[in-house]
Structure formats: structure tokens, C-alpha cells
Amino acid sequence: MPKRFRLTRRKPIAMTEDAYRRLTSFAKQAGLDEGEAISFVFENFDAITDGEALGQRLRQFNLELDARKA
């Protein structure tokens, strides 16, 4: 029997304008609302990310984030 899809956790999140535009675009293309799209990404995180590239991108993002905060 398939799991019933319920959004049981709500977490206010802060995101950049670029991230929000990408989220809304992805959700629209996938026929999901934004909460469902975020759930999909994190439930399938390992399958949709490249572990090696993720580390590099994360380091780059953190450097840019520090620069934005300064």
C-alpha cells in the first residue's frame, strides 16, 4: 500500500531570489506546489545529486555567502 503523502512539518525558510525562482519554476514544471517540490528534492536527495559535484558547489556557495554577508 503506498504511503499517504502528508505535509506534516512546516519550516519557515529563507532563500535567495534565484533559489525561489528556481523552486517555483521546478514546481510548476513538475505539477507540484512549492512544499511538495521541496519534499520531493529532499526525499530523493541522494538520487538527484552528484556527491562529488555537491561538495564543490557547497564550498563555492559558502564562499559567496560569506562575501554577501560582508
Side-chain angles (χ1 to χ4, degrees):
M1 181 171 212
K3 271 194 310 190
R4 182 168 176 224
F5 190 78
R6 289 183 23 213
L7 298 176
T8 60
R9 304 285 187 256
R10 299 208 182 272
K11 177 115 176 104
I13 59 173
M15 60 177 48
T16 63
E17 286 295 321
D18 289 343
Y20 183 72
R21 281 192 294 272
R22 184 64 186 108
L23 171 62
T24 55
S25 173
F26 170 67
K28 183 184 252 185
Q29 290 173 359
L32 303 170
D33 69 30
E34 286 128 2
E36 293 166 339
I38 290 171
S39 290
F40 169 80
V41 168
F42 283 101
E43 285 183 12
N44 297 284
F45 190 77
D46 292 335
I48 61 175
T49 58
D50 175 350
E52 292 177 23
L54 178 63
Q56 175 60 29
R57 297 271 181 150
L58 185 55
R59 284 188 292 277
Q60 181 181 356
F61 180 80
N62 280 329
L63 289 172
E64 292 172 1
L65 188 61
D66 288 341
R68 290 180 197 175
K69 289 180 179 180

